[in-house]
Amino acid sequence: MKRNVMVLGTIAASLLLSSTLQAEQSQQIEMHEVSADGVGEPIGTVQVEDSEHGLLLTPSLSDLPAGGHGFHVHENPSCEPGENDSGEMTPALSAGGHYDPDEAGSHEGPYGDGHLGDLPLLTVNDNGEAVTPVLAPRLSVDDLDGRSLMVHAGGDNYSDDPDALGGGGSRIACGVIDLSS
């Protein structure tokens, strides 16, 4: 009987440790509307967690235009607007460019050798909701700390031709990633 209690205690401790480790490898990012005037209302969250195949991003977003949207990790932890080269205020420009620690300098998508911040296309249904998970095979949760997560107005062809950065267009939603919280 005493041995059974010890075995059950060991199993319970293993399960608790396992769930604690999983929680440490998972983070929820609050996403907000962004405009040239600043950071707006929250539109939901994106859960990020490590998997054996890379970073799993599970959106729970609403109030977005239906269709495909460029989805990226950007280099700076800010969603504030900034002044572009033409002197115009631009939504979430303070987030900087796509996360590119290896300085690849190219936009090749989540499975290519370009920007590490290139994520799979975010799909928004006719009700304005994005709930379909995407997988970024070259990233982990640890790569995200001190960065931002960005949704663009248009789709993404993972090329700089015919439009720069896949043609995603303006930034419409953003979330700052802070793993210390």
Side-chain angles (χ1 to χ4, degrees):
M1 179 72 166
K2 190 175 185 179
R3 181 166 189 232
N4 287 343
V5 170
M6 286 178 53
V7 169
L8 288 175
T10 302
I11 291 171
S14 296
L15 289 173
L16 180 60
L17 178 61
S18 173
S19 66
T20 301
L21 289 175
Q22 285 179 335
E24 290 176 354
Q25 298 173 358
S26 178
Q27 180 78 20
Q28 196 167 70
I29 302 160
E30 185 174 68
M31 300 292 289
H32 294 263
E33 295 174 335
V34 291
S35 72
D37 295 325
V39 179
E41 295 296 316
I43 60 166
T45 61
V46 176
Q47 182 75 28
V48 294
E49 58 190 297
D50 290 327
S51 79
E52 65 182 274
H53 300 290
L55 182 69
L56 180 64
L57 298 100
T58 305
S60 179
L61 303 173
S62 59
D63 299 323
L64 291 168
H69 295 271
F71 194 35
H72 306 101
V73 175
H74 281 246
E75 60 191 351
N76 301 323
S78 176
C79 294
E80 295 297 326
E83 193 173 305
N84 67 18
D85 293 339
S86 303
E88 299 172 0
M89 291 306 286
T90 302
L93 191 61
S94 295
H98 295 179
Y99 178 51
D100 188 18
D102 298 329
E103 299 181 10
S106 61
H107 185 68
E108 298 180 28
Y111 300 97
D113 292 326
H115 302 146
L116 198 55
D118 291 347
L119 301 175
L121 196 66
L122 181 72
T123 304
V124 178
N125 66 25
D126 290 339
N127 295 325
E129 300 166 335
V131 295
T132 304
V134 298
L135 184 67
R138 301 184 302 143
L139 286 171
S140 71
V141 170
D142 289 340
D143 294 320
L144 303 180
D145 194 27
R147 311 266 172 245
S148 58
L149 192 58
M150 193 72 62
V151 177
H152 292 265
D156 194 336
N157 69 2
Y158 306 117
S159 173
D160 289 319
D161 186 39
D163 296 315
L165 301 175
S170 63
R171 301 165 184 202
I172 62 171
C174 179
V176 172
I177 306 165
D178 178 5
L179 300 180
S180 65
S181 58

